[in-house]
Structure formats: structure tokens, C-alpha cells
Amino acid sequence: MASLQEKALITTPATTDTNENLTVDFGFYPIPADTYSVGNQVWSDTNNNGLIDSGEAGIDGVTVYLLDATGTPIDTTVTSGGGLYLFDGLAAGDYIVSVEIPTGTQAVQ
């Protein structure tokens, strides 16, 4: 078990001690529960093989939705920096990621 200790000098009111420090306080905060992230990349799969191959660029500006296990929307983001997206600070659980299909494209089968 971790502990925190601080020495403090206790004096009576009739005694003066130059080592006295009445400003020592202890503040505690809760340790956050484990959190998780889900994310990756939306890209132009020019050969339709489901893998990011050399020369296949990410697609910026695609809306990505995070849904809970029942399909209820939790969060939304838009891809950037080469098609990247990330949902973080998530509690353990089951999630669904849904992507708006960009105009002029179709999903890899």
C-alpha cells in the first residue's frame, strides 16, 4: 500500500519554535479507472483488398461515429491528418464504429 508521510512539529501555544509549519496539508484525488481507445484510418483502398498498401492514401473529412453495443450514438469525429480518427477515454465495453461512405466510393466487400 502506498503511503504519504509528512513530519509536523506539534507545539503548545506557550512554546515558539522556528521549525513550526502549520501550512502542511494533504490533498487526495481519485485514481482514474482504466480507459481505452479505438481508432485507425479511413483510406482509399484502390485494389479492394482491405489492406493499406503502399500508395493508398488516407481520406480526410470522413465522419466516423462511435456507437454503444445497442447502436446508440456516443460520439462523432471527422478524419484528418491522412484519414486518421480516434475515440479515447472509453470505459471497457463493446462498441461499434460506423463510417459515412464518402461520395463516389463504396465499402470494401
Side-chain angles (χ1 to χ4, degrees):
M1 174 186 234
S3 66
L4 181 65
Q5 297 180 346
E6 181 69 35
K7 291 184 179 181
L9 177 64
I10 300 173
T11 61
T12 60
T15 305
T16 302
D17 188 335
T18 57
N19 295 315
E20 183 176 298
N21 183 351
L22 300 178
T23 63
V24 176
D25 294 323
F26 293 98
F28 297 96
Y29 61 95
I31 297 173
D34 289 338
T35 59
Y36 301 90
S37 300
V38 62
N40 209 329
Q41 186 174 26
V42 176
W43 79 100
S44 179
D45 191 8
T46 56
N47 62 1
N48 198 27
N49 70 352
L51 303 173
I52 302 174
D53 298 311
S54 177
E56 294 182 334
I59 304 173
D60 290 342
V62 177
T63 302
V64 182
Y65 302 95
L66 181 67
L67 314 172
D68 67 16
T70 68
T72 303
I74 298 172
D75 201 357
T76 303
T77 191
V78 176
T79 61
S80 63
L84 301 175
Y85 69 91
L86 179 68
F87 298 102
D88 57 5
L90 303 174
D94 295 329
Y95 297 93
I96 301 165
V97 175
S98 177
V99 178
E100 279 189 13
I101 298 173
T103 303
T105 68
Q106 64 183 18
V108 174
Q109 299 299 318

